[in-house]
């Protein structure tokens, strides 16, 4: 017992040193990786904006502004200008109602409010099911594609809810959340109140 007591201080000292060294290594790692990670994310955002927006000659990122919706979402709008005239915008939108939580997208609109393209920025949906939204809603098949559609006559919704957009097979919840984010982006773009399109998780359709 006496021997054990005599070794305890050394054990605590060793553990303390290990914690200090580990903390130092983590801090150093963060210091040298935070910059490159932020730079990579910034480049990815710039690429996404170019992919979804009409051709522009301004700097949408530096001219971006925030819009807060009545239901608590904060959207970023990246205006696209050509020769000093507004030609459309890219809108960063989201929905918390995905099957696995948050879905972040960026949607491009022209001056008439037509959808030019979209890019999925963040999600945790099921691979092979909900994750198909990356391409599903731009695929020219049946009523999947939303590219070129105008929301001036009403919000987008899946056929199961009386709309005319085909949901991802076995992923209705994901599809609803994705379209909710698109609708929210459009409403922010034209200055209307953002639609919620809330979805109940009790839906029989699962991912």
């Amino acid at each position: 017992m006496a021997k054990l007591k005599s070794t305890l201080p050394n054990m605590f000292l060793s553990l303390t040193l290990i914690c200090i060294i580990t903390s130092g290594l983590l801090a150093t790692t963060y210091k040298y990786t935070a910059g490159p990670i932020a730079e990579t994310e910034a480049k990815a955002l710039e690429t996404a904006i170019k992919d979804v927006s009409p051709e522009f000659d301004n700097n949408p990122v530096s001219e971006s502004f925030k819009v807060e919706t009545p239901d608590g979402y904060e959207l970023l709008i990246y205006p696209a200008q050509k020769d000093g005239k507004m030609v459309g915008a890219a809108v960063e939108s989201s929905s918390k109602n995905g099957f696995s939580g948050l879905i972040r997208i960026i949607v491009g609109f022209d001056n008439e409010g037509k959808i030019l393209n979209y890019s999925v920025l963040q999600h945790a949906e099921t691979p092979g099911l909900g994750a198909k939204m990356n391409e599903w809603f731009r695929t020219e098949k049946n009523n999947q594609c939303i590219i070129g559609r105008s929301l001036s006559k009403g919000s987008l919704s899946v056929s199961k809810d009386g709309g005319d957009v085909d949901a991802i097979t076995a992923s209705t919840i994901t599809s609803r959340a994705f379209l909710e984010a698109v609708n929210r982006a459009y409403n922010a773009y034209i200055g209307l109140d953002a639609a919620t399109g809330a979805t109940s998780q009790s839906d029989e359709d699962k991912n």
Side-chain angles (χ1 to χ4, degrees), residues 5-194:
K5 289 183 178 180
S6 65
T7 59
L8 285 177
N10 291 330
M11 291 175 61
F12 285 124
L13 179 60
S14 297
L15 289 173
T16 301
L17 288 173
I18 290 172
C19 289
I20 292 173
I21 293 171
T22 301
S23 298
L25 289 172
L26 289 173
T28 301
T29 301
Y30 176 79
K31 177 182 178 181
Y32 287 103
T33 59
I37 289 174
E39 185 177 346
T40 299
E41 291 178 346
K43 287 182 178 179
L45 177 60
E46 288 180 2
T47 299
I49 292 172
K50 289 180 180 178
D51 288 344
V52 305
S53 299
E55 186 177 348
F56 56 83
D57 56 16
N58 66 318
N59 189 334
V61 175
S62 65
E63 298 173 19
S64 64
F65 56 93
K66 294 180 180 179
V67 173
E68 188 170 342
T69 68
D71 52 344
Y73 284 82
E74 195 173 76
L75 280 62
L76 272 169
I77 297 183
Y78 303 92
Q81 297 182 8
K82 185 72 172 177
D83 298 325
K85 296 181 179 180
M86 188 81 166
V87 292
V91 183
E92 190 175 326
S93 183
S94 63
S95 169
K96 301 172 185 175
N97 295 318
F99 183 77
S100 298
L102 182 67
I103 293 174
R104 286 178 56 237
I105 64 173
I106 188 165
V107 190
F109 299 96
D110 65 12
N111 268 342
E112 297 178 353
K114 290 182 180 179
I115 299 173
L116 297 175
N117 201 357
Y118 72 86
S119 180
V120 179
L121 302 177
Q122 176 186 347
H123 76 86
E125 303 302 278
T126 309
L129 291 173
K132 288 182 178 180
M133 66 181 157
N134 286 296
E135 296 298 332
W136 181 275
F137 296 104
R138 65 171 123 251
T139 302
E140 291 289 352
K141 182 180 179 182
N142 300 323
N143 292 315
Q144 292 178 204
C145 188
I146 64 171
I147 307 302
R149 294 204 188 191
S150 173
L151 281 68
S152 60
K153 295 182 180 180
S155 300
L156 298 176
S157 61
V158 297
S159 55
K160 190 170 184 178
D161 297 334
D164 60 353
V165 180
D166 290 343
I168 301 169
T169 305
S171 299
T172 300
I173 293 175
T174 299
S175 302
R176 283 176 174 154
F178 174 86
L179 295 179
E180 174 194 337
V182 173
N183 292 333
R184 181 171 286 114
Y186 173 77
N187 288 329
Y189 175 55
I190 62 171
L192 300 179
D193 290 337

